[in-house]
Amino acid sequence: MKKFIITVVGHDTVGIIAKVCTYLAGIQVNILDISQTIVDGYFNMMMIVDAGKVEDMTKMSEELTKLGEEIGVIIRCQHEDIFNMMHRV
Amino acid sequence: MINIQEVLETNKMIDQENLDVRTITLGISLLDCIDSDLEILKKKIYEKITATAKDLVSTGQAIEAQFGIPIVNKRISVTPIALVGSAACRSAEDYVELAKVLDDAARTVGVNFLGGFSALVSKGMTKSDKLLMQAIPRALAVTERVCSSVNLGSTKTGIDMDAVKLMGEIIKETAEYTKEQDSLGCAKLVVFCNAPDDNPFMAGAFHGVTEKDAVINVGVSGPGVVKTALSEVRGENFEVLCETIKKTAFKITRVGQLVAQEASKRLGIPFGIIDLSLAPTPAIGDSVAEILEEIGLEYAGAPGTTAALALLNDQVKKGGVMASSYVGGLSGAFIPVSEDQGMIDAVQAGALTLEKLEAMTCVCSVGLDMIAIPGDTSPAAISGIIADEMAIGMVNQKTTAVRVIPVIGKKVGDMVEFGGLLGYAPVMPVNPYSCEAFINRGGRIPAPIHSFKN
């Protein structure tokens, strides 16, 4: 399992989760968990996904950034280790 | 499992507080390139560097993409060239030739700086050390990416005052050679006392002779993250202050550890150390001086600055040490003037002087760094500044350094623009009284009594 964290930050609009999920389904990425919160009036969503079937992570990351630009939000995809390292001893 | 608040905290550090990995520095030993024929030596050096570092930049970029953390610089350090070139170089001009080869190799692999045009002369200079030092002004003028350093003293050996005198002249000459670019050459030249073998930061990085054939050293940064954390504990006592710095330093260093391990795995090169220095940049909010202000000073340089810096430096180390399996390099807080907006503001407000900076170097991680001084400062005065700083390092058993830029044609109060990460700086006054007779004595200052620990 290759766990990545996808975050979406921006103004809340119709279909953000739908579009991200459609893209992920298309490249065989399984969503393990979704949570969301509002911080300073901005919509924040976090997905934990298993990208075990994705060969080129850089490409996936770039495509998600592009998708974010189309929707008008910031989408970022990061390996879970950066969060584990920083927040777990 | 990771929760959304933790994810948002990390990304806020990256997006708004300038958290980054400052540099992945690949140390490469050139000892096996040594040859008595200059042409063969040049070829071997170029081939060794370009072969070992061919994937460095692309690997750095891949790690950036994987973790979503910027890795600002990818750099190389090599064995001190005075050792590598000693059998082949008959003149200073030969050493300039080697500098050009290093520059070409750096350009080929795409790194922005390559350190190691260096000599280690803490007890005395060999003929080749001297030739390399004489080559520094021209080498830094004709190359773009080569950085140079000279270790002039240590707690164990004392201070080589002949070399201190020579380096005062060399720094001045380097300034002259690059006077069209505000004496930029001096920004790529640093002198040390107690130089570490595994420093990933420029301009003083070199690959020590005690190191393996190749090694990955990583420098982390993040003054903005510390400043933001401290803004949440305003008015609290020192215990709370220190705990906050420690926790933040831990988090920052963990990112460096992760990047170092990943780079080491991907490149197949062993991981050396993490240098957990708070390294400022000219960007707003990425400043060590602003941390000092947040601790409670109106400006860096105000009374209390040395104490504030001492606790900052110590807490950064205490937090960072537990976060990494190997800590080394310089580790602590850097206080360069031109690369730190808060320091620049403090100088312009008249709050920060060269003398106060010298006091601060007793407790910071390195020394007098990126300080512009008047172009008519004499070589002896520069040597005097160096001698003072070397003495602080020698007696306190710490690394100290001097990177001053006598900007030709500029006087006190003028602004000097170095560009990019090197920033800009107001020219600071130097004490006008002479130390010529002191510098001209020649010889060496003996090691201090407390160095004899055997």
Side-chain angles (χ1 to χ4, degrees), chain A residues 76 78-79 85 87-88, chain B residues 6 10-11 15 66 254:
Chain A
R76 161 182 274 178
Q78 294 155 284
H79 194 281
M85 281 294 275
H87 299 286
R88 300 285 181 271
Chain B
E6 291 166 332
T10 302
N11 286 344
D15 292 335
Q66 182 175 3
R254 292 290 278 177

Side-chain angles (χ1 to χ4, degrees), chain A residues 5 7 35-37 39 44 46 48 58 61 76-79 81-89, chain B residues 1-2 4 6-11 13 15 19 65-69 250-251 254-255 257-258 322:
Chain A
I5 311 286
T7 47
S35 52
Q36 68 176 72
T37 178
V39 180
N44 282 265
M46 174 189 88
I48 301 176
T58 309
S61 197
R76 161 182 274 178
C77 175
Q78 294 155 284
H79 194 281
D81 277 354
I82 185 165
F83 306 107
N84 285 332
M85 281 294 275
M86 189 181 270
H87 299 286
R88 300 285 181 271
V89 177
Chain B
M1 202 182 286
I2 287 298
I4 189 164
E6 291 166 332
V7 169
L8 294 178
E9 183 192 337
T10 302
N11 286 344
M13 287 181 187
D15 292 335
L19 173 63
Q66 182 175 3
F67 298 115
I69 176 96
F250 176 84
K251 289 179 181 174
R254 292 290 278 177
V255 176
Q257 170 82 5
L258 174 68
M322 193 182 153

Side-chain angles (χ1 to χ4, degrees), chain B residues 284-302:
Chain B
I284 302 291
D286 206 17
S287 155
V288 168
E290 285 176 20
I291 298 176
L292 298 175
E293 289 168 18
E294 195 58 61
I295 291 178
L297 307 167
E298 188 177 357
Y299 276 112

